[in-house]
């Protein structure tokens, strides 16, 4: 156990410690109070400075004058945005009532629909409209300055055997000078080609099949045969003419045997005379009686002078064309017959400047027939 003296010393030290601890809270509390007061003064000064600043900027009611009301033209509505706008918050700051001015209500503006994506793409300039093809050029008249200085010379070109092929017929009908198209009856495009030729300003005639000397050769459907009676020949000629209402005349397809038969040709001419049609003798045989019987019965007629494409070479066709031109210049008129071959078409197309240079007028077959 401790001694009494020691106990007194211990007690004395403990008393001093209690006094010191009692004074410590008072000192800390005083320091906190002083700091709080200082912060308060700082806040007061800051608030006062803020009031002075806002008053200087015109937000105080006593220092801000209300500006006059000025009419503002209505602004165009903003372009619609693909991103939806969020509604404004109710607590968003609004200017003071004194600074808001009333403007007249703007008239409702039409809202344009948003442009389509295709409208923003660069537009190509529109293509120019296609020019229509010009109509076929008619034959030059006798007084045309195109042929001045040359004697009048007429040449008619007849192309036979149209009917099976529509495309080649269109090409010949597009030649830059008059051409007579001779159409076989009872072929797939007989009526169509005749109609196309007439509407295109071309002359069209019936290419009537007739019996040839060679009995092994078939002249085609609806052919006239020597063994037929006059009534049968009339029926066949009328049936062939009924294929199209646009036929202006007739020429013979083959027929080297029938055209030598005077009686058969008289029957044919009687039908043509009653219909006021002309006859072109293709002269498939040199002693043909067709054109003679036509003259005797006063049916307008003309006979072939030159075959263009017996030999289907460009040089041979050019030679035959030159022969036809010389005959036209010597006699005043000539008639050439060709067939729907591509080589014939190309040679005729290239010969257009040649005809002009030679002073030859291209005409239709009807312009050459006697009795016009």
């Amino acid at each position: 156990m401790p001694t009494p003296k020691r106990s007194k010393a211990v007690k004395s030290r403990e008393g001093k410690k209690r006094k010191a601890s009692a004074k410590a809270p008072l000192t800390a509390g005083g320091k906190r109070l002083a700091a709080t007061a200082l912060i308060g003064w700082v806040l007061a000064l800051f608030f006062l400075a803020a009031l002075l600043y806002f008053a200087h900027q015109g937000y105080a009611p006593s220092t801000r004058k209300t500006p006059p009301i000025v009419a503002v033209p209505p602004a165009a509505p903003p372009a619609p945005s693909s991103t939806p706008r969020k509604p404004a918050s109710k607590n968003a700051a609004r200017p003071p009532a004194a600074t808001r001015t009333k403007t007249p209500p703007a008239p409702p503006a039409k809202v344009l629909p948003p442009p389509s994506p295709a409208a923003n793409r660069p537009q190509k300039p529109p293509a120019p409209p296609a020019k229509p093809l010009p109509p076929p050029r008619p034959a030059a008249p006798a007084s045309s300055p195109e042929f001045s200085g040359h004697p009048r010379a007429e040449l008619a070109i007849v192309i036979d055997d149209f009917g099976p092929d529509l495309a080649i017929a269109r090409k010949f009908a597009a030649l830059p000078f008059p051409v007579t198209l001779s159409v076989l009856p009872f072929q797939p495009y007989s009526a169509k080609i005749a109609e196309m030729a007439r509407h295109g300003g071309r002359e069209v005639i019936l290419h009537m099949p007739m019996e040839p000397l060679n009995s092994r050769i078939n002249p085609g459907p609806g052919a006239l045969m020597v063994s037929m009676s006059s009534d049968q020949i009339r029926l066949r000629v009328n049936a062939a003419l009924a294929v199209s209402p646009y036929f202006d005349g007739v020429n013979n397809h083959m027929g080297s045997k029938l055209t030598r038969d005077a009686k058969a040709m008289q029957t044919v001419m009687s039908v043509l005379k009653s219909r006021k049609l002309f006859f072109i003798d293709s002269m498939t045989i040199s002693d043909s009686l067709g054109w003679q019987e036509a003259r005797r019965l006063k049916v307008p007629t003309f006979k072939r002078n030159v075959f263009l494409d017996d030999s289907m070479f460009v040089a041979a066709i050019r030679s035959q064309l030159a022969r036809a031109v010389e005959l036209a210049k010597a006699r005043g008129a000539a008639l050439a017959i060709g067939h729907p071959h591509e080589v014939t078409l190309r040679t005729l197309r290239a010969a257009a400047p040649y005809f002009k240079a030679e002073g030859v007028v291209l005409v239709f077959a009807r312009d050459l027939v006697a009795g016009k």
Side-chain angles (χ1 to χ4, degrees):
M1 294 181 63
T3 61
K5 291 182 180 182
R6 187 171 178 84
S7 300
K8 289 181 180 181
V10 170
K11 289 180 180 179
S12 177
R13 285 196 299 270
E14 290 176 354
K16 290 179 180 181
K17 288 180 180 180
R18 282 194 296 270
K19 289 179 181 181
S21 61
K23 291 180 180 180
L26 292 176
T27 303
K31 291 181 179 179
R32 285 195 297 271
L33 182 61
T36 302
L38 181 60
I39 291 172
W41 278 105
V42 171
L43 290 175
L45 290 174
F46 179 77
F47 182 73
L48 180 60
L51 287 177
L52 292 175
Y53 173 76
F54 286 114
H56 183 265
Q57 294 295 326
Y59 286 91
S62 60
T63 60
R64 180 68 175 180
K65 292 183 179 181
T66 304
I69 298 176
V70 179
V72 180
S81 174
S82 58
T83 306
R85 294 183 178 180
K86 294 182 179 180
S89 173
K90 293 183 178 180
N91 299 326
R94 301 178 63 187
T99 64
R100 294 197 301 269
T101 58
K102 295 182 179 181
T103 58
K110 295 182 179 180
V111 180
L112 297 176
S116 62
N120 297 328
R121 299 175 184 170
Q123 300 293 328
K124 295 182 179 180
K131 294 182 179 180
L133 294 176
R137 186 175 63 186
S143 59
S144 172
E146 190 177 38
F147 298 98
S148 60
H150 294 280
R152 177 71 175 181
E154 295 180 337
L155 174 63
I157 297 178
V158 178
I159 304 298
D160 286 345
D161 297 346
F162 287 113
D165 190 340
L166 179 60
I168 193 67
R170 292 186 188 276
K171 293 178 182 180
F172 274 91
L175 284 169
F177 45 77
V179 176
T180 298
L181 277 64
S182 184
V183 179
L184 290 163
F186 315 118
Q187 296 296 320
Y189 299 103
S190 298
K192 183 69 175 178
I193 291 172
E195 181 181 12
M196 179 269 297
R198 173 58 61 86
H199 291 171
R202 299 306 188 189
E203 181 180 63
V204 57
I205 62 176
L206 171 66
H207 198 34
M208 187 70 212
M210 299 182 186
E211 185 179 1
L213 285 173
N214 188 346
S215 59
R216 291 176 296 180
I217 299 176
N218 181 11
L224 307 180
M225 313 298 287
V226 174
S227 59
M228 291 180 177
S229 66
S230 297
D231 289 339
Q232 288 176 319
I233 290 176
R234 287 191 187 94
L235 286 173
R236 290 211 171 185
V237 173
N238 284 317
L241 289 171
V243 168
S244 172
Y246 301 118
F247 294 131
D248 293 323
V250 173
N251 76 326
N252 56 293
H253 172 60
M254 300 186 186
S256 53
K257 184 175 183 178
L258 191 107
T259 58
R260 295 172 66 183
D261 189 303
K263 182 181 177 181
M265 294 311 298
Q266 289 171 13
T267 304
V268 173
M269 297 309 151
S270 66
V271 176
L272 301 188
K273 185 174 182 178
S274 66
R275 289 174 169 263
K276 298 181 179 180
L277 302 175
F278 62 82
F279 178 71
I280 300 296
D281 195 331
S282 300
M283 297 297 293
T284 54
I285 194 168
S286 59
D287 56 350
S288 171
L289 301 177
W291 66 278
Q292 295 183 23
E293 291 300 322
R295 278 188 174 182
R296 193 174 68 83
L297 295 176
K298 300 186 184 311
V299 174
T301 188
F302 202 87
K303 61 180 179 179
R304 186 266 314 161
N305 301 115
V306 175
F307 271 128
L308 295 178
D309 46 14
D310 281 341
S311 176
M312 288 191 297
F313 294 95
V314 173
I317 296 172
R318 284 178 179 173
S319 177
Q320 291 299 92
L321 278 175
R323 182 181 170 207
V325 166
E326 291 303 317
L327 285 173
K329 292 168 68 175
R331 302 177 182 179
L335 188 144
I337 290 181
H339 299 86
H341 306 305
E342 287 287 348
V343 63
T344 306
L345 175 67
R346 292 195 304 270
T347 308
L348 285 174
R349 188 183 292 132
Y354 168 69
F355 296 140
K356 179 179 177 181
E358 292 294 321
V360 174
V361 182
L362 273 297
V363 297
F364 293 124
R366 64 171 175 259
D367 299 317
L368 301 186
V369 297
K372 59 182 178 180

